[in-house]
Amino acid sequence: MKLLDSAVAPNPRRVRIFLAEKGIQVPVEQVDIAKASNRQPEFLAKNPFGGVPVLQLDDGSYIAESLAICRYFEETSPKPALFGEGAKERAEVEMWQRRMELYLFNMVTGCFQNTHAFFKGRIPQVPEYGEVCKKNALSRMAWLDGELAGRKFIAGDKFSVADITALCAIDFGKPTNIRIAPEQKNLTRWHQEVSSRPSAKA
Ligand SMILES: N[C@@H](CCC(=O)N[C@@H](CS)C(=O)NCC(=O)O)C(=O)O
């Protein structure tokens, strides 16, 4: 088994944090996305969309999509449960994970992809759309600050995959100046708490 990784990108970080929380060690191979190694035929044969991370299994098959990889490890190593336990908690974690991915993470990465020099010439950039993404991300962080007034973590009292997605989204906001505002005390408290977990260094 091997994780095809990029140390600089937010999606692979989601998987690395997930693995660290579970205490699972997987051999890692860096894919040089700056040199577009992930866009070469050899990599596209593993994941036709070219994104990292990709998990290479011992039977020679590949699993792409960060959340699919996380779900694989949730099944093989159920404790600690990061997708929730029982019908209600699992549904709540799923709801929050999807909210964090669709409405925050994708906005932060959408801003980066459409405005940052890294993606110039790689994809057709639409800077105006990037600015819309940034505005959306900032307003969702303001909303999240209010949500976190009443609970410790994103989906409730327990740390979950929703926290991992939100942490990776917010930290990846740095290059496009998507930052937590000083008055967002609840979001700041949550960010400090999840950042101080050993897994955040992954
Ligand atoms: N939906 C995929 C997204 C994968 C993705 O876009 N990964 C980025 C890194 S965060 C990537 O490979 N970027 C380089 C590129 O697209 O060329 C997932 O959840 O893993």
Side-chain angles (χ1 to χ4, degrees):
M1 181 183 283
K2 184 164 69 174
L3 183 69
L4 307 179
D5 183 27
S6 163
V8 296
N11 273 299
R13 185 176 180 225
R14 291 204 281 171
V15 172
R16 292 197 308 273
I17 293 178
F18 193 90
L19 289 170
E21 288 285 339
K22 293 263 184 199
I24 301 172
Q25 289 185 343
V26 174
V28 163
E29 181 181 301
Q30 291 299 312
V31 178
D32 192 344
I33 59 173
K35 288 198 178 135
S37 305
N38 58 314
R39 298 284 158 193
Q40 304 309 312
E42 192 193 340
F43 191 87
L44 294 174
K46 298 168 184 169
N47 177 14
F49 289 97
V52 283
V54 173
L55 181 67
Q56 181 177 332
L57 295 176
D58 291 337
D59 65 3
S61 60
Y62 297 96
I63 300 175
E65 298 298 328
S66 305
L67 257 286
I69 297 171
C70 292
R71 283 205 180 271
Y72 176 83
F73 289 112
E74 183 85 347
E75 292 289 324
T76 58
S77 304
K79 297 282 177 188
L82 296 174
F83 281 89
E85 286 175 298
K88 183 166 182 257
E89 201 179 281
R90 282 205 181 107
E92 284 169 350
V93 170
E94 182 77 24
M95 174 176 78
W96 281 103
Q97 146 54 33
R98 285 180 68 82
R99 285 174 172 166
M100 292 304 103
E101 178 160 328
L102 296 171
Y103 310 137
L104 181 59
F105 191 99
N106 287 354
M107 291 299 115
V108 174
T109 54
C111 176
F112 184 82
Q113 286 166 352
N114 284 281
T115 61
H116 200 275
F118 181 85
F119 270 96
K120 204 171 176 195
R122 285 168 194 262
I123 59 162
Q125 289 184 302
V126 183
E128 295 81 2
Y129 177 64
E131 291 307 321
V132 171
C133 289
K134 181 173 183 171
K135 217 173 141 199
N136 285 344
L138 289 169
S139 75
R140 277 143 200 188
M141 283 160 66
W143 161 76
L144 198 51
D145 180 61
E147 285 290 323
L148 285 168
R151 59 186 186 274
K152 193 170 179 196
F153 294 112
I154 301 281
D157 294 335
K158 294 184 199 160
F159 181 87
S160 76
V161 69
D163 294 287
I164 298 176
T165 296
L167 176 65
C168 293
I170 288 174
D171 287 352
F172 193 65
K174 197 171 179 189
T176 48
N177 201 27
I178 297 172
R179 311 305 291 153
I180 298 173
E183 67 273 19
Q184 292 168 353
K185 302 288 182 214
N186 304 309
L187 194 55
T188 301
R189 183 261 309 151
W190 165 86
H191 186 259
Q192 282 169 353
E193 170 131 15
V194 292
S195 299
S196 68
R197 296 170 80 90
S199 64
K201 293 188 180 65

